[in-house]
């Protein structure tokens, strides 16, 4: 397994790994334009490869100094429980600033994963959907 932060991926490759990871259940996999925009506007992409097969991706929005939002961590189910997700996070953190923290919203199936690898739960997170009224 090789890891890279310079290799670009296509929206189709992204879609494929999202589907193979089960993260596709919560991502716009049937909207190629949205997937392309997600890749274009995320500013830190770490990928995991077996030969030419993309098996994992970590997509982060960061300022490289203070904070990064890990918006996607997807690993092909055939390669889960082999340290791929942990290594993608390590590669991501290595590219961020020395004081920068990483935050994320866990997929329901991954809630137990993040505390096991060192993340601390934060009780003060909020989300509002697009189109929901701001009161």
């Amino acid at each position: 397994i090789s890891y890279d932060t310079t290799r670009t991926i296509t929206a189709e490759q992204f879609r494929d790994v999202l589907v193979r990871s089960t993260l596709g259940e919560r991502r716009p996999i049937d909207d190629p334009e949205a997937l392309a925009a997600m890749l274009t506007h995320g500013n830190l992409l770490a990928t995991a490869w077996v030969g030419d097969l993309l098996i994992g991706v970590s997509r982060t929005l960061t300022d490289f100094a203070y904070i990064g939002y890990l918006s996607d961590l997807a690993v092909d189910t055939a390669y889960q429980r082999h340290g791929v997700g942990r290594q993608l996070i390590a590669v991501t953190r290595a590219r961020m600033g020395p004081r920068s923290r990483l935050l994320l919203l866990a997929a329901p199936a991954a809630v137990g994963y993040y505390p096991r690898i060192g993340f601390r739960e934060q009780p003060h997170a909020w989300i509002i959907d697009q189109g929901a009224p701001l009161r």
Side-chain angles (χ1 to χ4, degrees):
I1 299 171
S2 62
Y3 297 88
D4 200 313
T5 58
T6 61
R7 192 168 172 179
T8 59
I9 63 173
T10 66
E12 185 54 39
Q13 287 173 306
F14 187 38
R15 180 192 187 283
D16 186 49
V17 77
L18 288 172
V19 170
R20 287 183 284 117
S21 73
T22 72
L23 191 58
E25 298 168 6
R26 288 165 301 287
R27 297 298 183 270
I29 59 171
D30 294 325
D31 187 346
E33 289 177 1
L35 294 175
M38 291 165 69
L39 292 171
T40 298
H41 299 294
N43 60 346
L44 177 52
L45 184 71
T47 53
W49 302 85
V50 172
D52 288 330
L53 177 65
L54 178 65
I55 63 156
V57 64
S58 169
R59 192 177 69 86
T60 304
L61 304 161
T62 183
D63 55 24
F64 295 98
Y66 177 70
I67 195 85
Y69 169 61
L70 179 59
S71 54
D72 296 303
L73 180 65
V75 176
D76 183 326
T77 55
Y79 293 90
Q80 290 178 5
R81 301 194 180 279
H82 292 92
V84 176
R86 183 189 313 252
Q87 186 61 30
L88 283 167
I89 292 170
V91 168
T92 297
R93 292 178 71 201
R95 289 280 319 277
M96 296 172 64
R99 295 184 303 161
S100 187
R101 298 185 298 172
L102 195 58
L103 95 104
L104 62 87
L105 298 173
V111 168
Y113 171 72
Y114 294 103
R116 285 197 316 266
I117 66 168
F119 279 75
R120 294 182 325 271
E121 184 176 357
Q122 297 297 303
H124 306 290
W126 308 96
I127 190 167
I128 188 169
D129 293 328
Q130 185 68 346
L134 190 59
R135 296 177 250 172

